[in-house]
């Protein structure tokens, strides 16, 4: 059941109506039923794997929670208070070992399901290539959104182990947290302590919030159907034939893909957050105008925020203080240099984190190389900071100018767009060859003269161009004044006029219709 299908629209209308008609104490149960229906439509096999993930998360967290409660109860009892300091430490250590074993087993099981389903063929292909073997691949079902719901559930297990949240005793509530359907397509990857504050709450119909949610859903559909799916035609043409479309065509493809990906991904997130808002559920923002970033590190603080913070909190920080890495850093300080040794843990943690980030995006080497390129440029940016600071101090007037801000923003945009060529071609060698052809094949006149021969008409360019300008204008207003819907809401009839026009625009200019197979959201594959 795609977000862009008529069936999904009907599904939402029925859900929204029932949600506010039934007794409020049953609202979360209705959401769980809706999740099951939505996921069943994506393939019943996926429900089996999701159920396994839920059971592992529920059982392990409750075992850890029970152990912690028993520990606290015993140590505060008369018998526990009679223990010596050493005995108390030994008792706590034994209980902690038990919880750690449960914790590790839960991670192995949950992540093992993800690894087996998503990366087995990747492993087999690499073994065949390295050792000239002929191992047969597997034909396993990859459940919808498995990377998203697995990471979400793993964060819950870790937070319980770290004693940040209490274990949920009701397995059906754990199931709702894991399977909340708007998040399954492309996130955001939510945390248990944040999402469940409103997910399990009772909600009265709030006209303003429902209106805001519907407006955001419409804006998401506009970006997806009018902009992203229209530009997809050109991107598919240019990237589908790298032997023909070289040089300037690669540059054009990268620019089209940057606009398509942003409209597709943020459009999907707008739909997700809008659905949640209509239901009274608060979901964190996943994008804060990333194309306004002035460097690669800032870009990743603005783009797919929930993914970035997940890897930072659960991979980078724990890894950077891991005993083996701290020991390695200490040796490097003595044997190489103090400065290098101090930075080594950050270097290693960053590289491993981005290697895993790339692998999370897809079981292919192009994603791994993409991740490592991000790591290299982020670390290079950190090394360049002292030079940049001196430059900014010396040329304060220049650095503070609007023109320099444009230069930094454009530089970052071109850099991340260059990395994404690996995503466009899905082959490392082909991607690098295509990238370097931009500087060696001087066919700019030919490329711009053939814009009408890559699947788009003049009308398509006009519609897509207006759509991109609208997205850019909204982003500029948000950057300067904050929430656009709040500004519009204060002007009485303006919200209804604007979003009636938006609806008409989607109906008239949306890339859909009889016989049209609407493209899935790009992040569906993850």
């Amino acid at each position: 059941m795609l977000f862009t299908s008529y069936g999904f629209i009907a599904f939402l209308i029925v859900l929204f109506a029932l949600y506010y008609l039934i007794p409020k104490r049953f609202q979360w149960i209705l959401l769980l039923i809706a999740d099951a229906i939505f996921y069943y439509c994506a393939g019943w096999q996926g429900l089996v794997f999701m159920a396994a993930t839920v059971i592992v998360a529920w059982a392990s967290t409750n075992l850890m929670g029970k152990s912690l409660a028993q520990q606290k109860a015993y140590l505060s009892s008369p018998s526990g208070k009679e223990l010596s300091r050493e005995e108390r430490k030994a008792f706590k250590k034994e209980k902690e070992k038990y919880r750690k074993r449960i914790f590790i087993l839960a991670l192995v099981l949950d992540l093992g399901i993800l690894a087996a389903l998503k990366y087995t063929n990747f492993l087999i292909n690499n073994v065949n290539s390295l050792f000239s073997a002929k191992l047969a691949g597997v034909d396993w079902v990859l459940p919808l959104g498995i990377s998203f719901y697995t990471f979400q559930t793993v964060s819950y297990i870790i937070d319980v182990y770290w004693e940040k949240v209490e274990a949920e005793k009701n397995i059906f509530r754990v199931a709702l947290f894991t399977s909340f359907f708007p998040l399954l397509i492309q996130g955001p990857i939510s945390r248990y302590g944040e999402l469940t504050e409103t997910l399990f709450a009772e909600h009265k119909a709030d006209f303003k919030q429902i209106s805001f949610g519907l407006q955001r859903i419409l804006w998401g559909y506009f970006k997806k159907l009018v902009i992203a799916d229209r530009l997809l035609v050109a991107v598919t043409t240019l990237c589908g034939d790298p032997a023909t479309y070289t040089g300037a065509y690669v540059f054009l493809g990268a620019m089209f893909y940057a606009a398509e990906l942003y409209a597709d991904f943020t459009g999907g997130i707008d739909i997700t957050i809008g659905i949640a808002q209509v239901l009274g559920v608060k979901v964190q923002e996943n994008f804060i105008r990333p194309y306004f970033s002035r460097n690669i590190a800032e870009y990743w603080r603005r783009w797919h925020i929930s993914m970035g913070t997940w890897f930072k909190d659960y991979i980078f920080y724990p890894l950077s203080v891991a005993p083996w890495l701290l020991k390695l850093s200490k040796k490097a300080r003595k044997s190489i240099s103090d400065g290098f040794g101090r930075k080594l843990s950050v270097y290693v943690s960053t590289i491993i984190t981005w290697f895993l980030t790339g692998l999370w995006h897809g079981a292919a080497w192009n994603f791994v190389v993409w991740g490592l390129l991000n790591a290299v440029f982020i670390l290079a940016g950190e090394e360049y900071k002292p030079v940049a600071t001196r430059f900014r101090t010396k040329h304060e007037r220049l650095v503070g100018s609007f023109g320099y801000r444009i230069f930094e923003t454009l530089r970052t945009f071109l850099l991340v767009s260059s990395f994404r060529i690996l995503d466009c071609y899905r082959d490392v060698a082909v991607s690098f060859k295509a990238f370097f052809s931009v500087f060696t094949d001087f066919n700019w006149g030919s490329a711009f003269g053939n814009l009408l021969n890559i699947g788009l008409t003049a009308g398509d360019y006009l519609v897509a161009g207006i759509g991109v300008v609208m997205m850019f204008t909204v982003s500029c207003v948000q950057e300067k004044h904050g929430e656009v819907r709040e500004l519009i809401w204060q002007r009485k009839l303006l919200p209804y006029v604007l979003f009636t026009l938006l609806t008409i625009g989607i109906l008239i200019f949306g890339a859909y219709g009889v016989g049209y197979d609407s493209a899935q959201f790009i992040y569906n594959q993850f």
Side-chain angles (χ1 to χ4, degrees):
M1 193 189 298
L2 297 177
F3 273 18
T4 51
S5 68
Y6 297 126
F8 182 73
I9 301 298
F11 171 78
L12 283 185
I13 292 172
V14 173
L15 175 62
F16 291 161
L18 290 176
Y19 190 74
Y20 288 109
L21 288 174
I22 64 173
K24 295 177 180 57
R25 66 180 182 276
F26 297 128
Q27 286 177 327
W28 74 270
I29 298 175
L30 176 64
L31 290 182
L32 183 57
I33 294 170
D35 293 344
I37 294 172
F38 177 84
Y39 213 72
Y40 178 81
C41 291
W44 65 267
Q45 299 94 332
L47 279 172
V48 176
F49 293 111
M50 180 180 280
T53 300
V54 169
I55 292 170
V56 169
W58 171 78
S60 62
T61 52
N62 275 274
L63 286 172
M64 290 188 289
K66 184 179 180 181
S67 170
L68 182 62
Q70 290 174 342
Q71 173 186 312
K72 291 180 178 179
Y74 180 74
L75 291 178
S76 61
S77 68
S79 299
K81 290 178 181 178
E82 292 177 359
L83 297 176
S84 65
R85 184 177 180 181
E86 289 72 20
E87 289 173 330
R88 290 173 67 88
K89 287 177 66 177
F91 177 77
K92 288 175 68 175
K93 189 173 182 180
E94 188 62 32
K95 286 290 185 181
E96 287 170 359
K97 281 184 178 180
Y98 170 76
R99 290 195 294 273
K100 189 173 184 178
R101 287 195 293 268
I102 297 295
F103 169 67
I104 293 173
L105 179 61
L107 293 188
V108 169
L109 290 174
D110 267 2
L111 293 174
I113 294 173
L114 172 64
L117 295 179
K118 190 172 181 178
Y119 301 103
T120 298
N121 282 328
F122 177 64
L123 178 63
I124 290 173
N125 291 337
N126 281 282
V127 169
N128 287 342
S129 297
L130 286 173
F131 303 104
S132 299
K134 295 182 180 180
L135 300 176
V138 296
D139 187 21
W140 289 341
V141 173
L142 188 64
L144 176 69
I146 185 172
S147 295
F148 288 102
Y149 76 69
T150 299
F151 271 35
Q152 191 158 294
T153 308
V154 164
S155 73
Y156 166 60
I157 295 171
I158 296 174
D159 286 347
V160 171
Y161 178 70
W162 286 348
E163 300 178 32
K164 288 186 175 182
V165 298
E166 293 185 2
E168 173 58 61
K169 293 181 173 58
N170 189 330
I171 189 173
F172 295 107
R173 288 179 179 257
V174 176
L176 176 56
F177 165 73
T178 303
S179 65
F180 187 46
F181 75 90
L183 307 181
L184 287 177
I185 300 296
Q186 50 194 351
I189 304 171
S190 299
R191 310 293 176 89
Y192 185 85
E194 297 171 354
L195 182 62
T196 55
E197 287 182 5
T198 53
L199 184 61
F200 301 140
E202 298 180 359
H203 300 285
K204 294 180 180 180
D206 184 318
F207 178 74
K208 180 180 178 181
Q209 291 305 311
I210 292 174
S211 176
F212 274 24
L214 293 175
Q215 290 170 22
R216 187 145 187 186
I217 291 171
L218 275 176
W219 181 231
Y221 276 120
F222 178 84
K223 289 196 282 188
K224 167 63 175 171
L225 293 174
V226 177
I227 304 172
D229 284 357
R230 179 167 269 102
L231 293 177
L232 173 64
V233 177
V235 173
T236 302
T237 300
L238 294 172
C239 298
D241 189 0
T244 301
Y245 296 108
T246 61
Y249 289 108
V250 177
F251 176 80
L252 288 173
M255 296 302 100
F256 285 143
Y257 185 65
E260 182 219 340
L261 179 63
Y262 180 80
D264 186 285
F265 200 0
T266 62
I269 293 296
D270 286 333
I271 296 170
T272 291
I273 295 178
I275 292 171
Q277 191 166 15
V278 172
L279 298 170
V281 179
K282 186 176 181 180
V283 175
Q284 71 173 104
E285 292 292 340
N286 214 25
F287 292 87
I288 305 178
R289 299 166 292 285
Y291 288 159
F292 288 176
S293 304
R294 302 173 77 165
N295 56 63
I296 194 80
E298 181 187 353
Y299 171 82
W300 281 110
R301 291 193 294 270
R302 289 171 172 255
W303 178 282
H304 206 344
I305 298 167
S306 63
M307 181 204 70
T309 55
W310 195 98
F311 276 98
K312 179 179 67 176
D313 294 343
Y314 298 114
I315 301 294
F316 177 80
Y317 286 148
L319 188 60
S320 63
V321 295
W324 68 270
L325 188 51
L326 293 177
K327 187 177 180 180
L328 182 64
S329 297
K330 188 176 181 180
K331 286 184 177 180
R333 289 173 64 181
K334 291 181 179 179
S335 59
I336 302 176
S337 72
D338 185 68
F340 177 77
R342 289 179 183 275
K343 296 176 181 178
L344 184 59
S345 64
V346 175
Y347 290 170
V348 174
S349 301
T350 300
I351 291 170
I352 292 176
T353 299
W354 276 102
F355 171 84
L356 294 175
T357 302
L359 203 57
W360 177 85
H361 276 79
W365 283 110
N366 61 293
F367 291 113
V368 173
V369 173
W370 169 85
L372 293 176
L373 281 174
N374 276 282
V376 168
F377 275 83
I378 287 172
L379 291 175
E382 288 298 313
E383 289 297 313
Y384 179 70
K385 265 187 177 180
V387 178
T389 301
R390 289 196 297 270
F391 178 83
R392 289 177 177 276
T393 302
K394 186 176 180 180
H395 303 283
E396 188 173 349
R397 185 175 179 180
L398 171 65
V399 171
S401 67
F402 179 73
Y404 193 77
R405 169 66 189 266
I406 296 297
F407 161 73
E408 289 185 308
T409 303
L410 185 60
R411 176 191 63 190
T412 304
F413 172 75
L414 291 174
L415 184 61
V416 297
S417 296
S418 299
F419 294 168
R420 288 207 193 100
I421 289 176
L422 286 155
D423 191 16
C424 293
Y425 294 99
R426 302 298 175 94
D427 182 278
V428 177
V430 172
S431 297
F432 277 101
K433 184 178 179 180
F435 173 75
F436 287 114
S437 76
V438 175
F439 307 99
T440 57
D441 293 356
F442 300 103
N443 56 351
W444 295 82
S446 172
F448 282 94
N450 284 300
L451 287 177
L452 296 179
N453 297 322
I454 57 174
L456 298 181
T457 66
D460 287 325
Y461 283 112
L462 179 61
V463 172
I466 292 173
V468 169
V469 169
M470 288 174 63
M471 286 196 304
F472 179 73
T473 302
V474 169
S475 295
C476 288
V477 173
Q478 288 176 328
E479 189 79 359
K480 189 173 183 180
H481 301 289
E483 177 61 72
V484 173
R485 289 174 299 174
E486 283 288 354
L487 297 174
I488 296 174
W489 182 261
Q490 299 167 10
R491 286 158 177 77
K492 297 182 180 180
L493 294 177
L494 184 60
Y496 306 102
V497 173
L498 288 179
F499 285 94
T500 298
L501 293 175
L502 193 62
T503 302
I504 294 173
I506 295 170
L507 293 175
I508 295 175
F509 300 111
Y512 65 94
V514 177
Y516 179 81
D517 182 16
S518 180
Q520 291 193 11
F521 286 94
I522 292 173
Y523 267 68
N524 272 21
Q525 63 188 295
F526 306 131

